[in-house]
């Protein structure tokens, strides 16, 4: 566990040694601003003191931005060869995967913290119900961690960051867009398909409800993705 | 702990249908510096990756510092310092930051970690660049960071994949000196293409070709197998003196044959190549014979490419063969005197 935390710390710092973290953070915040204030329905026209739209927007931008944060996690180390230096230290492969995951989760938490001015600003315009703010953030935290897991898994398959990015997006879009296809599928499939939709599991969180079922869903996706990443990292030994 | 620090038994590795290693056996003892020699793609790096538990062999087994690569990879990793090929480092980090990371990953904290980093930095003379970003360093310095990283925990076994490639001669000499120094107390296994390197730093040479180990001996003994090293003797004299001089050198004990090299006509110099029957340093005898017979010795040089011939012989053609292999496993390292 100590090694995992050391790796997480190094990963977190290395984000800020290069441009990627800054680009992604700024891009996410700009995107959030654009969607929140102007398009498709502007905050001031809505005229409601609510964070629901805010959380909905962040949940969508996450699909776009998180794979960009995770694309290099393993792919880049593989391409530059540092994976070999890292994995020949006395460290378990599982700790490497966990460390990389936690490092990115740390950066994502910073991003969430940077959006805090929104609820505070909204609060000045009326009385904001802080319960859903808390649960909304909790939901986004879990959704983010699931996406980081998925992105890390994509990064573990390849040595090319761009491939990892597109693979990450490809998997993320399944979780993101499955909602849109629900009207088209036979009735029997609606429920199981709806169950893998991230948005579906975030609905309760946005309403101010913490449902164990939703937490378990996101944790399961995270765990499965990390497990696959671990196996994929380990497979180098037998190839 | 036994004296054998690295033990490879029947190592084989297949990448798909390609056999990168075929039944490789060798031992390396404490305090030995062993050179791993072979053409590109012969299996040197594969062997090192197996010894460091980065990949697993398809069959066979290996033990490093008494730990099995299958049963106790953590034990192996704790015992080794490894510098992979082309020195991959986190280039965006500062040198100190990177060494701190490695020390922490190896479980050292606080004062202990700082002491160890300080020692590794001193050993590799990194003091001047400690606060620089690794990506800003020259190749030689990067290599030293790679070495420092491998030395932080004072490992029993040091595995270095081409530690000298891409360095200029001065840098190479420094790294070589460092390796020799480290090799006095620890076991070092290093791979290289550079035969001169091997002769200067290694107690023993393993030559690998197409995944097979084709030689395991001291550099001296390897030279022996292709007739040992030769001596180039330049003597003042004209054509007519040729056979007389040949007789004089021919009488020296231990001389196997003498060839005269065609020199420019009437340059007043004659060049002979003297081959000893065993690997023996005959320079003194040649000198004395020349003095005794009143010959003017203009040049006397031991031919350095003895190993090159061995290398060429063993690594060209299918598999390569061993001329008169004496013992399957040469155990006691003979320090080469040069």
């Amino acid at each position: 566990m100590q090694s995992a935390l050391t790796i997480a710390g190094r990963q977190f710092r290395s984000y800020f040694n290069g441009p990627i973290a800054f680009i992604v953070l700024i891009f996410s915040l700009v995107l959030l601003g654009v969607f929140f204030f102007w398009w498709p329905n502007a905050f001031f026209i809505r005229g409601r003191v609510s964070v629901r739209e805010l959380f909905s927007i962040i949940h969508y931008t996450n699909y776009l931005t998180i794979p960009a944060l995770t694309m290099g996690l393993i792919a880049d180390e593989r391409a530059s060869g540092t994976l070999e230096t890292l994995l020949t230290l006395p460290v378990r492969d599982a700790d490497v995967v966990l460390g990389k995951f936690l490092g990115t989760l740390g950066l994502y938490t910073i991003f969430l913290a940077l959006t805090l001015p929104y609820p505070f600003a909204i609060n000045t315009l009326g009385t904001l119900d802080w319960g859903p703010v808390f649960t909304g953030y909790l939901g986004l935290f879990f959704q983010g961690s699931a996406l980081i897991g998925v992105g890390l898994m994509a990064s573990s398959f390849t040595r090319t960051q761009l491939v990892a990015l597109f693979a990450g997006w490809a998997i993320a879009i399944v979780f993101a867009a499955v909602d849109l296809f629900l009207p088209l599928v036979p009735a029997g499939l609606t429920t199981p398909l709806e169950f893998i939709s991230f948005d579906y599991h975030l609905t309760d969180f946005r309403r101010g409800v913490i449902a164990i079922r939703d937490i378990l869903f996101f944790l399961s996706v995270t765990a499965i993705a990390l497990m696959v990443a671990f196996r994929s990292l380990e497979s180098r030994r037998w190839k | 702990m036994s004296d054998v620090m690295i033990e490879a038994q029947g190592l084989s590795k297949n990448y798909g249908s390609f056999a990168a290693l075929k039944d490789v056996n060798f031992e390396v003892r404490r305090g030995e510096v062993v050179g791993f020699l072979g053409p590109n793609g012969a299996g040197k790096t594969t062997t090192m990756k197996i010894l460091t538990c980065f990949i697993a062999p398809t069959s066979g087994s290996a033990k490093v510092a008494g730990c099995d690569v299958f049963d106790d990879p953590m034990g192996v990793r704790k015992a080794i310092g490894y510098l992979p090929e082309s020195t991959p480092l986190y280039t965006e980090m500062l040198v100190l930051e990177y060494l701190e990371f490695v020390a922490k990953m190896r479980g050292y904290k606080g004062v202990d970690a700082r002491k160890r980093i300080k020692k590794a930095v001193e050993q590799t003379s990194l003091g001047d660049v400690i606060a620089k970003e690794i990506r800003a360093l020259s190749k030689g310095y990067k290599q030293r960071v790679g070495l420092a990283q491998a030395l932080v925990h004072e490992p029993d076994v040091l595995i270095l994949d081409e530690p000298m490639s891409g360095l200029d001669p001065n840098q190479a000499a420094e790294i070589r000196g460092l390796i020799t120094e480290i090799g006095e107390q620890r076991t070092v296994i290093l791979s290289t293409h550079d035969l001169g390197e091997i002769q200067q730093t290694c107690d023993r040479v393993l030559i690998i070709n197409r995944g097979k180990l084709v030689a395991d001996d001291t550099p001296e003994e390897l030279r022996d197998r292709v007739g040992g090293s030769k001596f180039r003797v330049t003597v003042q004299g004209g054509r007519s003196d040729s056979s007389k001089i040949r007789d004089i050198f021919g009488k020296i004990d231990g001389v196997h044959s003498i060839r005269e090299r065609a020199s420019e006509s009437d340059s007043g110099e004659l060049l002979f190549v003297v081959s000893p029957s065993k690997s023996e340093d005959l320079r003194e005898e040649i000198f004395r014979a020349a003095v005794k017979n009143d010959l003017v010795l203009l040049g006397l040089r031991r031919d350095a490419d003895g190993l090159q011939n061995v290398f060429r012989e063993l690594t060209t053609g299918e598999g390569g063969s061993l001329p008169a292999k004496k013992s399957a496993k040469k155990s006691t390292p003979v320090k080469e005197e040069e």
Side-chain angles (χ1 to χ4, degrees):
Chain A
M1 192 60 200
Q2 185 55 48
S3 329
L5 290 178
T6 308
I7 292 171
R10 196 211 70 79
Q11 186 61 47
F12 182 76
R13 274 193 302 277
S14 92
Y15 273 124
F16 293 99
N17 281 330
I20 289 204
F22 293 104
I23 292 173
V24 172
L25 285 183
I26 291 168
F27 179 71
S28 311
L29 290 171
V30 168
L31 216 56
L32 174 59
V34 168
F35 282 121
F36 187 75
F37 288 108
W38 292 297
W39 188 79
N41 38 22
F43 171 69
F44 291 108
I45 293 173
R46 267 197 313 273
R48 258 191 298 138
V49 179
S50 157
V51 283
R52 257 191 223 189
E53 287 77 16
L54 175 78
F55 289 144
S56 175
I57 294 165
I58 297 177
H59 137 264
Y60 278 116
T61 57
N62 276 351
Y63 296 116
L64 199 63
T65 55
I66 287 182
L69 288 177
T70 55
M71 63 180 178
L73 285 181
I74 293 175
D76 189 39
E77 293 228 18
R78 192 174 273 141
S80 71
T82 48
L83 193 64
E84 198 172 340
T85 335
L86 180 62
L87 290 176
T88 49
L89 289 169
V91 59
R92 281 185 298 262
D93 289 4
D95 282 338
V96 172
V97 171
L98 192 61
K100 297 258 159 199
F101 169 76
L102 291 175
T104 310
L105 194 61
L107 180 66
Y108 174 68
T109 309
I110 299 276
F111 163 70
L112 288 184
L114 288 175
T115 65
L116 278 173
Y118 282 88
F120 282 106
I122 293 167
N123 189 44
T124 61
L125 301 172
T127 318
L128 184 63
D129 183 357
W130 286 95
V133 176
F134 172 72
T135 56
Y137 272 117
L138 195 65
L140 283 179
F141 181 79
F142 282 117
Q143 183 229 3
S145 88
L147 279 174
I148 293 168
V150 165
L152 178 57
M153 175 178 85
S155 187
S156 76
F157 295 150
T158 171
R159 57 190 304 124
T160 316
Q161 293 202 40
L162 208 58
V163 172
L165 178 62
F166 279 92
W169 276 339
I171 304 168
I173 210 168
V174 173
F175 293 117
V178 66
D179 274 352
L180 305 175
F181 295 97
L182 290 181
L184 307 174
V185 298
L189 281 176
T190 317
T191 317
L193 275 182
E194 189 177 43
F195 194 74
I196 65 161
S197 156
F198 279 11
D199 194 39
Y200 168 76
H201 288 281
L202 284 172
T203 319
D204 275 349
F205 280 114
R206 285 199 285 263
R207 284 196 198 116
V209 177
I210 302 174
I212 297 295
R213 184 187 63 159
D214 298 327
I215 293 180
L216 280 181
F217 168 76
F218 285 122
L219 286 182
S220 312
V221 174
T222 313
I224 291 168
L226 293 185
M227 213 103 81
V228 174
F230 165 69
R231 287 290 169 207
S232 140
L233 194 61
E234 202 187 31
S235 73
R236 77 178 185 282
R237 290 177 54 99
W238 317 107
K239 269 180 193 154
Chain B
M1 204 186 289
S2 86
D3 218 23
V4 178
M5 294 307 284
I6 301 176
E7 189 183 0
Q9 277 179 343
L11 279 191
S12 299
K13 177 73 184 176
N14 301 334
Y15 295 114
S17 61
F18 174 70
L21 278 186
K22 298 169 206 160
D23 191 31
V24 168
N25 297 287
F26 63 89
E27 274 181 11
V28 182
R29 287 168 185 272
R30 189 182 291 277
E32 264 190 300
V33 178
V34 169
F36 219 15
L37 203 59
N40 286 323
K44 300 183 299 259
T45 299
T46 301
T47 310
M48 291 191 161
K49 283 183 175 171
I50 291 173
L51 292 178
T52 54
C53 305
F54 185 65
I55 57 174
T58 310
S59 64
S61 71
K63 274 186 183 175
V64 179
C67 303
D68 191 279
V69 293
F70 281 111
D71 299 337
D72 190 7
M74 279 299 163
V76 173
R77 290 173 188 184
K78 279 182 187 145
I80 57 162
Y82 178 39
L83 175 64
E85 200 177 354
S86 75
T87 327
L89 303 165
Y90 292 123
T91 53
E92 80 281 358
M93 293 177 101
L94 307 180
V95 174
L96 181 62
E97 218 177 13
Y98 180 64
L99 294 178
E100 278 169 352
F101 167 70
V102 173
K104 214 167 163 191
M105 289 296 290
R106 294 214 172 261
Y108 302 115
K109 284 183 201 132
V111 186
D112 189 23
R114 243 172 294 146
K115 257 191 220 156
R116 285 171 178 279
I117 291 169
K118 192 164 172 250
K119 191 170 175 201
V121 165
E122 276 166 9
Q123 266 181 306
T124 50
S125 329
L126 277 172
D128 296 340
V129 297
I130 194 99
K132 280 195 181 167
E133 271 185 25
I134 295 175
R135 67 179 139 210
L137 301 181
S138 69
K139 175 106 190 169
Y141 269 114
K142 276 185 193 154
Q143 210 84 333
R144 286 194 224 173
V145 176
L147 270 173
Q149 163 275 132
L151 289 170
V152 165
H153 55 302
E154 303 186 46
D156 286 328
V157 178
L158 209 54
I159 298 179
L160 311 171
D161 201 352
E162 306 207 355
M164 255 95 60
S165 74
L167 298 184
D168 70 40
N170 293 335
Q171 293 168 332
E174 275 175 37
I175 301 278
R176 195 164 51 226
L178 184 60
I179 290 171
T180 314
E181 196 187 307
I182 295 164
E184 278 163 18
Q185 306 130 33
R186 299 178 213 296
T187 306
V188 181
I189 174 162
L190 64 97
S191 76
T192 175
H193 304 287
D194 191 330
L195 298 149
E197 223 61 84
I198 293 258
Q199 267 164 309
Q200 289 174 61
T201 43
C202 300
D203 307 320
R204 199 148 59 88
V205 189
L206 301 174
I207 299 182
I208 191 167
N209 185 41
R210 297 183 190 223
K212 278 187 187 157
L213 199 65
V214 291
D216 176 354
D217 248 323
T218 63
E220 293 271 311
E221 278 165 351
L222 277 176
R223 265 198 306 256
D224 255 12
R225 289 205 217 149
V226 286
S229 54
K230 298 177 171 63
F231 301 93
R232 292 167 168 274
V233 189
T234 318
V235 184
Q236 199 176 51
R239 284 259 154 261
S240 50
D241 306 320
S242 171
S243 64
K244 189 187 94 191
I245 296 170
R246 204 190 283 252
D247 279 349
I248 291 168
F249 288 143
K251 278 179 198 146
I252 298 171
D253 241 10
V255 169
H256 179 258
S257 64
I258 300 167
R259 262 185 312 133
E260 191 187 341
R261 279 286 168 90
S263 56
E264 283 168 46
S265 56
D266 267 3
S267 61
E269 288 179 20
L270 293 168
L271 175 63
F272 297 93
V273 178
V274 179
S275 312
S277 44
K278 284 185 295 170
S279 182
E280 239 181 291
D281 194 349
L282 293 177
R283 282 176 296 186
E284 191 183 332
E285 285 81 355
I286 292 170
F287 172 75
R288 293 199 187 287
V291 170
K292 207 168 128 195
N293 293 285
D294 209 19
L295 295 175
V296 181
L297 207 55
L298 296 174
L300 174 53
R301 187 160 69 85
R302 189 185 208 182
D303 219 342
D305 50 39
L307 255 191
Q308 206 148 8
N309 292 336
V310 184
F311 182 72
R312 215 171 291 141
E313 195 165 311
L314 291 176
T315 58
T316 48
E318 188 64 48
S321 61
L322 282 170
K325 185 143 172 65
K326 286 168 197 156
S327 57
K329 247 166 236 163
K330 191 64 198 154
S331 48
T332 38
V334 182
K335 280 260 186 230
E336 196 190 352
E337 313 144 83
E338 283 282 330

